[in-house]
Amino acid sequence: AQKVTQAQTEISVVEKEDVTLDCVYETRDTTYYLFWYKQPPSGELVFLIRRNSFDEQNEISGRYSWNFQKSTSSFNFTITASQVVDSAVYFCALSELYSGGGADGLTFGKGTHLIIQP
Amino acid sequence: DAGVTQSPTHLIKTRGQQVTLRCSPKSGHDTVSWYQQALGQGPQFIFQYYEEEERQRGNFPDRFSGHQFPNYSSELNVNALLLGDSALYLCASSLVRGAADTQYFGPGTRLTVL
């Protein structure tokens, strides 16, 4: 069975600090996909990144960066020089491929509530 | 380019009633998935529709059913509502079912069961 753990329930930092959100996953498949989504107070989930299990390259997009390590089953997300607008709930999610060739529905962690104080 | 849309935005029902939620996928997308998000929790997968058929289902009872129309839009129906069905219901669409394509989410429908 697949599982995603986000151990940090809530993180509060002061603006301009760097912050890392942890994500640990469990899966028996060799082919899977990992995602990060942002959920602002409005409720809509905003896609941030998708990474497949064969691509362990770290990725940077502006102030956002992601560190994927298969050896520790982790897919951590770092925000550099945080801003108040980064305040939201962030979800890590996992999707496996099933025998019919389609992808499973996403399995989400419980989310990390990030608070950026001015 | 219109994103995923859902209606209604909010809904209040009483126990035992039935409810229908609607979703229009992002332009060009043919696969629709539904999720339930209880307060303070991550979304949980209900089911996925592709080519007008339910292709996958999460751990939800038969009270939860759905439909996909030829234009790819979808409905989620919940019968015999329970207090525990109160949640944000999210619809997501994707382009290519078999390639684990990114799912894009709508704004959700907040259902309150009294």
Side-chain angles (χ1 to χ4, degrees):
Chain A
Q2 52 189 341
K3 184 180 178 181
V4 175
T5 301
Q6 294 180 256
Q8 303 152 310
T9 305
E10 183 175 290
I11 299 175
S12 181
V13 300
V14 177
E15 198 172 22
K16 297 183 184 175
E17 286 186 16
D18 298 347
V19 58
T20 295
L21 309 182
D22 297 334
C23 172
V24 174
Y25 62 92
E26 294 176 30
T27 176
R28 288 176 290 190
D29 279 9
T30 56
T31 302
Y32 51 90
Y33 296 82
L34 295 164
F35 301 80
W36 276 94
Y37 285 87
K38 174 183 180 179
Q39 189 174 43
S42 61
E44 184 168 346
L45 282 167
V46 177
F47 165 73
L48 297 177
I49 190 172
R50 178 181 73 159
R51 174 65 79 231
N52 73 55
S53 53
F54 297 109
D55 182 2
E56 285 194 73
Q57 272 197 316
N58 291 331
E59 181 157 338
I60 298 174
S61 176
R63 296 183 297 106
Y64 295 171
S65 62
W66 290 270
N67 183 351
F68 176 29
Q69 291 195 331
K70 286 179 75 171
S71 60
T72 56
S73 297
S74 65
F75 186 42
N76 296 337
F77 172 32
T78 297
I79 301 175
T80 303
S82 60
Q83 300 176 2
V84 172
V85 293
D86 295 327
S87 297
V89 180
Y90 290 85
F91 290 97
C92 180
L94 167 70
S95 177
E96 297 172 339
L97 293 181
Y98 62 91
S99 60
D104 275 351
L106 295 169
T107 295
F108 284 85
K110 291 189 175 181
T112 297
H113 185 197
L114 179 61
I115 300 168
I116 310 296
Q117 300 178 26
Chain B
D1 180 24
V4 179
T5 60
Q6 293 186 243
S7 65
T9 306
H10 295 87
L11 206 49
I12 299 176
K13 292 285 188 179
T14 57
R15 280 179 297 176
Q17 286 190 311
Q18 178 263 344
V19 68
T20 297
L21 311 182
R22 295 176 176 81
C23 170
S24 290
K26 191 175 166 68
S27 178
H29 285 186
D30 58 6
T31 300
V32 173
S33 301
W34 286 92
Y35 293 81
Q36 180 195 66
Q37 186 179 19
L39 200 61
Q41 301 295 315
Q44 286 197 299
F45 174 65
I46 302 175
F47 43 52
Q48 183 182 84
Y49 275 82
Y50 173 68
E51 291 184 338
E52 302 179 47
E53 290 189 20
E54 183 183 298
R55 300 293 179 167
Q56 271 214 290
R57 189 178 185 91
N59 189 25
F60 279 81
D62 292 344
R63 298 187 297 109
F64 290 78
S65 63
H67 189 78
Q68 185 179 35
F69 299 94
N71 67 352
Y72 309 122
S73 67
S74 177
E75 289 181 349
L76 163 66
N77 301 293
V78 187
N79 294 323
L81 284 167
L82 304 173
L83 295 179
D85 295 331
S86 295
L88 179 67
Y89 287 85
L90 294 162
C91 170
S93 73
S94 51
L95 179 59
V96 180
R97 172 177 171 266
D101 190 51
T102 297
Q103 295 186 26
Y104 292 90
F105 284 80
T109 294
R110 186 162 297 282
L111 172 65
T112 301
V113 182
L114 302 177

